[in-house]
Amino acid sequence: MTNLTTHRLNLNARFLRAWFFVSFRMSAFFWIISLLMVVLIGVSGLRAAEPTPKKQQKQSSKLVEYEVFNLIQSKSIQKSLTGKAGNPKRGEALIIDREKGNCLQCHVIDKFHELAKKNPDTYGDMGEIGPTLDGVATRYKDGQLRLILVNAKLVFPETIMPAYYRIDGFTRVADEYVDQPIMSAQDIEDILSFLKTLK
Amino acid sequence: MIFSFYHNQAQLFKEHLIVSLLFVFVYAVAVLFIFETAFAGNGRDKSIVPAVKGHPLSNLWSGYYYSKKDIQALQDNLGENPGLKYVSEGAVLWRQKPNKTSKSCSKCHGNSSISMSEVGVRYPQYYAPLKRLINLEQRINICRKSYQKVQPFEYESKELLSLTSFVRAQAKGRPVRVKVDGFAKPFYEKGKAFYFKRRGQLDMSCAHCHENNYGKQLRSTLLSQGQSNGFPAYRVAWQKVGSLHRRFRSCNKLVRAKTYAFGADAYVNLELYLNWRGNGLEVETPAVRD
């Protein structure tokens, strides 16, 4: 390029040129700003989308469960509490019963999803606080499952899961429940015999 | 020369125009974005607030958020919210003289929307004359007893629920802001200990349900964070408005634990701790819940 045009630039052109420069810089500045804002908005959009209540997970991670598993291997109740085998049919009813096991308050059993379509009052409304009970019989031996039912806190110290066969170590138990376990020994064995079918 | 590629003014002008337009466009986009974020910020669910540092929860979610759509609509609809009946009855009591010789609340306190605008966000509060923590219900009853010289209302009576709803509703939309330092500190600590204590035959603490498992289904109920910003609240299960202490009693019964009496010190301390957990959430009184 030549300097041919240079001498023809008058004041006005100089002014325009200067302004062009400034506005170009300005626009670059605003590009950066708007890019930043796009990022910001993206992030805020993500943040708005992310914490839906279903996704609010604060449960123990795999690590905790692993430790816990090691613990269980050494802890179990080998002998039946009643000396007899349990009744799985009765056990299934107790798991559903809201006053007794109420295990469905926190656990899902997969096959109940299907049954709930016909009979939602009995099988429906399963909770999602604990892990699914499907396959517990392959994850645990009988004696370990028995201990989890009797007092889950001996296996998972911080757990929300109640101790079903225990009467001491509680605080301010309501009068009508004082000195009673949530379930009887027979109930525990019946539930256990049902859990054993969940392979 | 930098500008040597411009052959003439016309071209310079053209280029300049293009860049200027670009600049105007970007500027417009930027302004739009600013407005949009500001608008989205306002329009977004006001029941979610990021928690302060050191808070056990990362975000605070009002119970409103965990309610079903029809329940939310009932709360939002000023014509249908059943809790508003209590508020308007409270407004009547506010203006009424309890008997010929004593003054009405409004006589001493004037315009409720001014004098009571901050009360709902900062109770329970330390009350020096009694050297203890008092909640709003107890504050109102102190005025009844010492200033109106009449019998205090019974806890959970329609009158006390109405007046409490009315007074707290004056702070509606304002963020909860209880103080937990100074004189309030020991009460806060006791409330905190209560919150994390396992109790009842089911042996659960408040945290087991409302801190570790909120947002999850507990059988047919979606667990919330158990926030207190909506109380006194109308509960469909109660078919009436109830105090926060009534909710405490329900939750105690859920785990088969002995309840405390309405207005018991243990519950007032717990109320302080719970309100602190919700510091920043807007007062929703009267909220509607399942």
Side-chain angles (χ1 to χ4, degrees), chain B residues 173-207:
Chain B
R174 287 171 196 264
V176 175
R177 209 179 54 242
V178 288
K179 270 183 66 178
V180 296
D181 50 359
F183 284 119
K185 182 91 186 188
F187 302 98
Y188 164 84
E189 293 297 345
K190 279 185 210 158
K192 183 176 176 180
F194 190 111
Y195 192 89
F196 289 101
K197 178 96 188 124
R198 283 180 186 272
R199 57 190 76 230
Q201 191 197 33
L202 302 192
D203 209 20
M204 297 174 197
S205 72
C206 314

Side-chain angles (χ1 to χ4, degrees), chain A residues 3 40 53 55 65 70 88 98 105 108 130-131 145 148 155 199:
Chain A
N3 272 351
L40 266 173
K55 283 187 193 155
E65 272 170 22
N70 281 338
R98 286 168 203 249
Q105 188 178 39
V108 165
L145 283 176
I148 291 174
V155 181
K199 293 230 159 87

Side-chain angles (χ1 to χ4, degrees), chain B residues 9 21 49 71 74 85 88 90 96 106 138-139 141 151 154 161 174-175 179 187-188 223 253 263 265 272:
Chain B
Q9 264 187 10
L21 280 176
V49 175
I71 301 283
L74 204 58
K85 279 201 206 76
S88 48
Q96 221 168 46
S106 62
Q138 291 164 337
R139 175 64 250 190
N141 266 340
Q151 273 291 316
E154 227 167 274
L161 283 170
R174 287 171 196 264
K179 270 183 66 178
F187 302 98
Y188 164 84
L223 276 175
K253 284 178 197 158
D265 287 349
L272 178 69

Side-chain angles (χ1 to χ4, degrees), chain B residues 37-150:
Chain B
T37 34
F39 180 75
N42 277 339
R44 214 181 291 135
D45 204 328
K46 56 183 190 285
S47 44
I48 309 161
V49 175
V52 292
K53 250 189 143 173
H55 198 285
L57 304 163
S58 51
N59 276 297
L60 311 183
W61 302 77
S62 162
Y64 175 88
Y65 188 82
Y66 297 89
S67 300
K68 297 194 185 77
K69 285 274 171 295
D70 55 331
I71 301 283
Q72 292 183 349
L74 204 58
Q75 174 172 328
D76 293 337
N77 188 328
L78 296 185
E80 283 178 25
N81 183 332
L84 285 172
K85 279 201 206 76
Y86 286 71
V87 174
S88 48
E89 270 164 47
V92 172
L93 289 171
W94 177 263
R95 276 181 257 110
Q96 221 168 46
K97 288 175 19 171
N99 59 38
K100 282 214 186 77
T101 51
S102 53
K103 292 177 179 156
S104 69
C105 314
S106 62
K107 181 88 185 163
C108 290
H109 291 292
N111 187 340
S112 60
S113 60
I114 298 165
S115 64
M116 296 290 134
S117 64
E118 286 286 313
V119 171
V121 306
R122 56 178 160 77
Y123 272 76
Q125 192 171 293
Y126 182 76
Y127 186 58
L130 294 180
K131 290 196 173 56
R132 50 176 271 232
L133 192 72
I134 56 166
N135 66 7
L136 199 47
E137 283 89 342
Q138 291 164 337
R139 175 64 250 190
I140 290 169
N141 266 340
I142 288 172
C143 274
R144 255 183 89 77
K145 212 169 133 204
S146 358
Y147 295 126
Q148 295 184 318
K149 307 262 188 270
V150 288

Side-chain angles (χ1 to χ4, degrees), chain A residues 1-3 5 8-10 13 16-17 19-21 23-24 26-27 30-31 34 37-38 41 44 47-48 51-54 56-59 95-96 98-99 102 104-106 122 124-129 153 157-160 162 166 169-175 177 180-182, chain B residues 1-9 12-13 15-16 19-20 22-23 25-27 29-31 33-34 36-37 44 48 50 56-59 61 65-66 197-204 208-209 211-220 222-223 225 253-254 256-260:
Chain A
M1 286 287 141
T2 66
N3 272 351
T5 55
R8 277 160 57 191
L9 289 177
N10 58 20
L16 280 176
R17 193 184 59 196
W19 197 40
F20 158 74
F21 214 91
S23 61
F24 180 78
M26 287 278 271
S27 64
F30 271 96
W31 269 119
S34 59
M37 296 191 74
V38 167
I41 284 157
S44 67
R47 281 185 53 188
T52 60
K54 297 253 170 196
Q56 292 271 337
Q57 284 261 357
K58 236 205 105 194
Q59 259 301 313
I95 276 183
I96 296 163
R98 286 168 203 249
E99 293 302 312
N102 201 11
L104 300 191
Q105 188 178 39
C106 300
T122 309
D125 289 340
M126 286 184 279
E128 47 190 19
I129 313 279
K153 259 148 280 189
E158 300 300 323
T159 195
I160 185 175
R166 183 185 173 197
F170 296 139
T171 308
R172 283 184 75 86
V173 176
D175 290 342
Y177 301 107
Q180 298 171 46
I182 303 171
Chain B
M1 179 79 202
I2 305 168
F3 289 105
S4 55
F5 50 87
Y6 291 113
H7 292 282
N8 51 43
Q9 264 187 10
L12 177 62
F13 187 75
E15 301 258 332
H16 166 252
V19 176
S20 296
L22 209 72
F23 160 58
F25 171 74
V26 169
Y27 187 78
V29 168
V31 167
F33 274 158
I34 292 170
E36 211 210 50
T37 34
R44 214 181 291 135
I48 309 161
L57 304 163
S58 51
N59 276 297
W61 302 77
Y65 188 82
Y66 297 89
K197 178 96 188 124
R198 283 180 186 272
R199 57 190 76 230
Q201 191 197 33
L202 302 192
D203 209 20
M204 297 174 197
H208 279 113
C209 283
E211 182 171 315
N212 304 340
N213 287 301
Y214 64 85
K216 291 194 201 161
Q217 207 68 38
L218 183 81
R219 207 130 195 182
S220 53
L222 184 60
L223 276 175
Q225 291 185 340
K253 284 178 197 158
L254 269 181
R256 302 183 177 177
K258 247 195 218 114
T259 56
Y260 288 85

Side-chain angles (χ1 to χ4, degrees), chain A residues 135-146:
Chain A
V136 277
T138 50
R139 293 200 287 280
Y140 298 101
K141 301 202 184 75
D142 295 2
Q144 297 171 328
L145 283 176
R146 189 177 285 113

